mmCIF file of all heavy atoms in Angstrom:
data_model
loop_
_atom_site.group_PDB
_atom_site.id
_atom_site.type_symbol
_atom_site.label_atom_id
_atom_site.label_comp_id
_atom_site.label_asym_id
_atom_site.label_seq_id
_atom_site.Cartn_x
_atom_site.Cartn_y
_atom_site.Cartn_z
ATOM 1 N N ARG A 1 77.459 69.124 169.579
ATOM 2 C CA ARG A 1 78.784 68.940 170.178
ATOM 3 C C ARG A 1 79.727 70.070 169.797
ATOM 4 O O ARG A 1 80.535 70.535 170.608
ATOM 5 C CB ARG A 1 79.372 67.592 169.739
ATOM 6 C CG ARG A 1 78.648 66.379 170.282
ATOM 7 C CD ARG A 1 78.757 66.292 171.796
ATOM 8 N NE ARG A 1 78.134 65.086 172.312
ATOM 9 C CZ ARG A 1 77.974 64.819 173.597
ATOM 10 N NH1 ARG A 1 78.387 65.685 174.497
ATOM 11 N NH2 ARG A 1 77.383 63.703 173.993
ATOM 12 N N GLN A 2 79.642 70.526 168.550
ATOM 13 C CA GLN A 2 80.505 71.624 168.120
ATOM 14 C C GLN A 2 80.139 72.920 168.829
ATOM 15 O O GLN A 2 81.000 73.719 169.179
ATOM 16 C CB GLN A 2 80.446 71.783 166.606
ATOM 17 C CG GLN A 2 81.095 70.617 165.863
ATOM 18 C CD GLN A 2 81.161 70.834 164.366
ATOM 19 O OE1 GLN A 2 80.557 71.755 163.831
ATOM 20 N NE2 GLN A 2 81.892 69.971 163.677
ATOM 21 N N GLN A 3 78.854 73.139 169.066
ATOM 22 C CA GLN A 3 78.435 74.311 169.834
ATOM 23 C C GLN A 3 79.007 74.255 171.247
ATOM 24 O O GLN A 3 79.511 75.254 171.776
ATOM 25 C CB GLN A 3 76.915 74.379 169.892
ATOM 26 C CG GLN A 3 76.243 74.654 168.553
ATOM 27 C CD GLN A 3 74.736 74.679 168.686
ATOM 28 O OE1 GLN A 3 74.190 75.207 169.646
ATOM 29 N NE2 GLN A 3 74.042 74.106 167.712
ATOM 30 N N LEU A 4 78.930 73.087 171.866
ATOM 31 C CA LEU A 4 79.450 72.927 173.220
ATOM 32 C C LEU A 4 80.966 73.095 173.249
ATOM 33 O O LEU A 4 81.515 73.692 174.176
ATOM 34 C CB LEU A 4 79.067 71.545 173.760
ATOM 35 C CG LEU A 4 77.575 71.325 174.022
ATOM 36 C CD1 LEU A 4 77.300 69.871 174.362
ATOM 37 C CD2 LEU A 4 77.081 72.237 175.127
ATOM 38 N N LEU A 5 81.642 72.590 172.229
ATOM 39 C CA LEU A 5 83.104 72.720 172.154
ATOM 40 C C LEU A 5 83.505 74.189 172.033
ATOM 41 O O LEU A 5 84.405 74.673 172.731
ATOM 42 C CB LEU A 5 83.633 71.911 170.969
ATOM 43 C CG LEU A 5 85.151 71.742 170.850
ATOM 44 C CD1 LEU A 5 85.478 70.445 170.098
ATOM 45 C CD2 LEU A 5 85.801 72.920 170.144
ATOM 46 N N LEU A 6 82.831 74.908 171.155
ATOM 47 C CA LEU A 6 83.135 76.326 170.982
ATOM 48 C C LEU A 6 82.858 77.122 172.253
ATOM 49 O O LEU A 6 83.620 78.025 172.619
ATOM 50 C CB LEU A 6 82.315 76.893 169.818
ATOM 51 C CG LEU A 6 82.716 76.419 168.417
ATOM 52 C CD1 LEU A 6 81.650 76.807 167.403
ATOM 53 C CD2 LEU A 6 84.067 76.998 168.017
ATOM 54 N N THR A 7 81.770 76.776 172.938
ATOM 55 C CA THR A 7 81.434 77.464 174.178
ATOM 56 C C THR A 7 82.475 77.177 175.253
ATOM 57 O O THR A 7 82.826 78.057 176.046
ATOM 58 C CB THR A 7 80.038 77.049 174.664
ATOM 59 O OG1 THR A 7 79.086 77.322 173.642
ATOM 60 C CG2 THR A 7 79.652 77.824 175.920
ATOM 61 N N ALA A 8 82.988 75.946 175.293
ATOM 62 C CA ALA A 8 84.056 75.602 176.240
ATOM 63 C C ALA A 8 85.294 76.455 175.981
ATOM 64 O O ALA A 8 85.930 76.959 176.912
ATOM 65 C CB ALA A 8 84.392 74.113 176.128
ATOM 66 N N LEU A 9 85.640 76.645 174.703
ATOM 67 C CA LEU A 9 86.802 77.470 174.364
ATOM 68 C C LEU A 9 86.541 78.948 174.663
ATOM 69 O O LEU A 9 87.462 79.691 175.013
ATOM 70 C CB LEU A 9 87.159 77.291 172.889
ATOM 71 C CG LEU A 9 87.672 75.898 172.494
ATOM 72 C CD1 LEU A 9 87.962 75.840 170.997
ATOM 73 C CD2 LEU A 9 88.926 75.529 173.293
ATOM 74 N N LEU A 10 85.274 79.371 174.548
ATOM 75 C CA LEU A 10 84.920 80.748 174.896
ATOM 76 C C LEU A 10 85.195 81.002 176.373
ATOM 77 O O LEU A 10 85.660 82.080 176.759
ATOM 78 C CB LEU A 10 83.443 80.998 174.584
ATOM 79 C CG LEU A 10 82.896 82.381 174.957
ATOM 80 C CD1 LEU A 10 83.460 83.454 174.040
ATOM 81 C CD2 LEU A 10 81.365 82.382 174.908
ATOM 82 N N ARG A 11 84.905 80.008 177.202
ATOM 83 C CA ARG A 11 85.059 80.146 178.653
ATOM 84 C C ARG A 11 86.491 79.927 179.112
ATOM 85 O O ARG A 11 86.827 80.210 180.267
ATOM 86 C CB ARG A 11 84.136 79.166 179.359
ATOM 87 C CG ARG A 11 82.673 79.444 179.118
ATOM 88 C CD ARG A 11 81.818 78.333 179.686
ATOM 89 N NE ARG A 11 80.409 78.641 179.560
ATOM 90 C CZ ARG A 11 79.440 77.812 179.906
ATOM 91 N NH1 ARG A 11 79.741 76.618 180.409
ATOM 92 N NH2 ARG A 11 78.184 78.160 179.748
ATOM 93 N N HIS A 12 87.312 79.391 178.246
ATOM 94 C CA HIS A 12 88.718 79.135 178.578
ATOM 95 C C HIS A 12 89.570 79.802 177.507
ATOM 96 O O HIS A 12 90.078 79.139 176.590
ATOM 97 C CB HIS A 12 89.000 77.630 178.660
ATOM 98 C CG HIS A 12 88.244 76.924 179.749
ATOM 99 N ND1 HIS A 12 86.911 76.550 179.605
ATOM 100 C CD2 HIS A 12 88.613 76.537 180.998
ATOM 101 C CE1 HIS A 12 86.503 75.960 180.720
ATOM 102 N NE2 HIS A 12 87.511 75.940 181.574
ATOM 103 N N ARG A 13 89.719 81.122 177.606
ATOM 104 C CA ARG A 13 90.370 81.901 176.558
ATOM 105 C C ARG A 13 91.842 81.525 176.366
ATOM 106 O O ARG A 13 92.410 81.751 175.300
ATOM 107 C CB ARG A 13 90.274 83.401 176.875
ATOM 108 C CG ARG A 13 88.852 83.939 176.902
ATOM 109 C CD ARG A 13 88.180 83.790 175.538
ATOM 110 N NE ARG A 13 86.835 84.345 175.540
ATOM 111 C CZ ARG A 13 86.538 85.588 175.203
ATOM 112 N NH1 ARG A 13 87.481 86.420 174.829
ATOM 113 N NH2 ARG A 13 85.285 86.013 175.246
ATOM 114 N N LYS A 14 92.475 80.976 177.396
ATOM 115 C CA LYS A 14 93.877 80.573 177.261
ATOM 116 C C LYS A 14 94.031 79.273 176.492
ATOM 117 O O LYS A 14 95.143 78.901 176.121
ATOM 118 C CB LYS A 14 94.527 80.445 178.647
ATOM 119 C CG LYS A 14 94.659 81.779 179.371
ATOM 120 C CD LYS A 14 95.370 81.615 180.701
ATOM 121 C CE LYS A 14 95.523 82.954 181.403
ATOM 122 N NZ LYS A 14 96.227 82.805 182.714
ATOM 123 N N GLY A 15 92.919 78.596 176.249
ATOM 124 C CA GLY A 15 92.947 77.402 175.427
ATOM 125 C C GLY A 15 92.787 76.106 176.187
ATOM 126 O O GLY A 15 92.964 76.052 177.408
ATOM 127 N N LEU A 16 92.437 75.055 175.444
ATOM 128 C CA LEU A 16 92.256 73.714 176.002
ATOM 129 C C LEU A 16 92.923 72.688 175.100
ATOM 130 O O LEU A 16 93.004 72.885 173.877
ATOM 131 C CB LEU A 16 90.763 73.384 176.146
ATOM 132 C CG LEU A 16 89.951 74.225 177.137
ATOM 133 C CD1 LEU A 16 88.457 73.976 176.952
ATOM 134 C CD2 LEU A 16 90.366 73.918 178.575
ATOM 135 N N THR A 17 93.362 71.609 175.678
ATOM 136 C CA THR A 17 93.938 70.515 174.910
ATOM 137 C C THR A 17 92.844 69.538 174.502
ATOM 138 O O THR A 17 91.704 69.629 174.970
ATOM 139 C CB THR A 17 94.999 69.764 175.735
ATOM 140 O OG1 THR A 17 94.349 69.156 176.864
ATOM 141 C CG2 THR A 17 96.088 70.718 176.211
ATOM 142 N N VAL A 18 93.189 68.596 173.641
ATOM 143 C CA VAL A 18 92.241 67.562 173.234
ATOM 144 C C VAL A 18 91.773 66.772 174.442
ATOM 145 O O VAL A 18 90.581 66.462 174.583
ATOM 146 C CB VAL A 18 92.884 66.626 172.188
ATOM 147 C CG1 VAL A 18 91.990 65.405 171.941
ATOM 148 C CG2 VAL A 18 93.134 67.370 170.889
ATOM 149 N N GLU A 19 92.703 66.434 175.335
ATOM 150 C CA GLU A 19 92.346 65.666 176.520
ATOM 151 C C GLU A 19 91.360 66.423 177.399
ATOM 152 O O GLU A 19 90.385 65.856 177.918
ATOM 153 C CB GLU A 19 93.610 65.329 177.327
ATOM 154 C CG GLU A 19 94.528 64.312 176.682
ATOM 155 C CD GLU A 19 95.357 64.899 175.550
ATOM 156 O OE1 GLU A 19 95.354 66.150 175.365
ATOM 157 O OE2 GLU A 19 95.992 64.115 174.820
ATOM 158 N N GLU A 20 91.609 67.706 177.586
ATOM 159 C CA GLU A 20 90.711 68.516 178.415
ATOM 160 C C GLU A 20 89.323 68.637 177.786
ATOM 161 O O GLU A 20 88.310 68.530 178.478
ATOM 162 C CB GLU A 20 91.330 69.905 178.624
ATOM 163 C CG GLU A 20 92.552 69.881 179.531
ATOM 164 C CD GLU A 20 93.301 71.198 179.524
ATOM 165 O OE1 GLU A 20 93.251 71.915 178.497
ATOM 166 O OE2 GLU A 20 93.943 71.500 180.552
ATOM 167 N N LEU A 21 89.287 68.838 176.483
ATOM 168 C CA LEU A 21 87.997 68.917 175.798
ATOM 169 C C LEU A 21 87.265 67.578 175.859
ATOM 170 O O LEU A 21 86.044 67.538 176.008
ATOM 171 C CB LEU A 21 88.215 69.332 174.344
ATOM 172 C CG LEU A 21 88.552 70.813 174.130
ATOM 173 C CD1 LEU A 21 89.080 71.040 172.720
ATOM 174 C CD2 LEU A 21 87.325 71.686 174.388
ATOM 175 N N SER A 22 88.007 66.498 175.754
ATOM 176 C CA SER A 22 87.405 65.167 175.817
ATOM 177 C C SER A 22 86.721 64.949 177.162
ATOM 178 O O SER A 22 85.598 64.446 177.236
ATOM 179 C CB SER A 22 88.475 64.097 175.586
ATOM 180 O OG SER A 22 87.933 62.806 175.730
ATOM 181 N N ARG A 23 87.382 65.363 178.246
ATOM 182 C CA ARG A 23 86.798 65.209 179.583
ATOM 183 C C ARG A 23 85.594 66.129 179.766
ATOM 184 O O ARG A 23 84.554 65.713 180.298
ATOM 185 C CB ARG A 23 87.854 65.507 180.658
ATOM 186 C CG ARG A 23 88.935 64.460 180.804
ATOM 187 C CD ARG A 23 89.673 64.628 182.132
ATOM 188 N NE ARG A 23 90.290 65.949 182.223
ATOM 189 C CZ ARG A 23 91.519 66.241 181.789
ATOM 190 N NH1 ARG A 23 92.272 65.289 181.234
ATOM 191 N NH2 ARG A 23 92.016 67.460 181.930
ATOM 192 N N MET A 24 85.708 67.350 179.313
ATOM 193 C CA MET A 24 84.625 68.320 179.521
ATOM 194 C C MET A 24 83.367 67.963 178.742
ATOM 195 O O MET A 24 82.247 68.143 179.229
ATOM 196 C CB MET A 24 85.095 69.726 179.116
ATOM 197 C CG MET A 24 86.182 70.291 180.014
ATOM 198 S SD MET A 24 86.756 71.920 179.471
ATOM 199 C CE MET A 24 85.310 72.893 179.826
ATOM 200 N N LEU A 25 83.557 67.444 177.529
ATOM 201 C CA LEU A 25 82.407 67.133 176.678
ATOM 202 C C LEU A 25 81.957 65.679 176.794
ATOM 203 O O LEU A 25 80.937 65.300 176.216
ATOM 204 C CB LEU A 25 82.752 67.437 175.212
ATOM 205 C CG LEU A 25 83.179 68.879 174.913
ATOM 206 C CD1 LEU A 25 83.513 69.038 173.440
ATOM 207 C CD2 LEU A 25 82.097 69.864 175.316
ATOM 208 N N ALA A 26 82.738 64.886 177.524
ATOM 209 C CA ALA A 26 82.406 63.466 177.716
ATOM 210 C C ALA A 26 82.308 62.735 176.378
ATOM 211 O O ALA A 26 81.370 61.953 176.138
ATOM 212 C CB ALA A 26 81.113 63.317 178.516
ATOM 213 N N ILE A 27 83.267 62.986 175.507
ATOM 214 C CA ILE A 27 83.359 62.274 174.227
ATOM 215 C C ILE A 27 84.801 61.822 174.028
ATOM 216 O O ILE A 27 85.707 62.270 174.734
ATOM 217 C CB ILE A 27 82.905 63.154 173.038
ATOM 218 C CG1 ILE A 27 83.748 64.423 172.946
ATOM 219 C CG2 ILE A 27 81.429 63.508 173.171
ATOM 220 C CD1 ILE A 27 83.418 65.292 171.746
#
């Protein structure tokens, strides 16, 4: 999950919120 979270932030350089990460990672 941490690998996926870091990769999500890599692809969204402007940043993501907790809500956005929650939806993207389905957790």
Side-chain angles (χ1 to χ4, degrees):
R1 293 295 184 187
Q2 291 186 349
Q3 293 179 40
L4 292 172
L5 189 153
L6 290 168
T7 303
L9 293 179
L10 177 71
R11 296 172 175 176
H12 297 80
R13 296 298 182 92
K14 293 183 179 180
L16 295 168
T17 64
V18 170
E19 290 77 9
E20 290 169 331
L21 285 166
S22 176
R23 289 197 301 271
M24 293 178 69
L25 302 179
I27 59 176

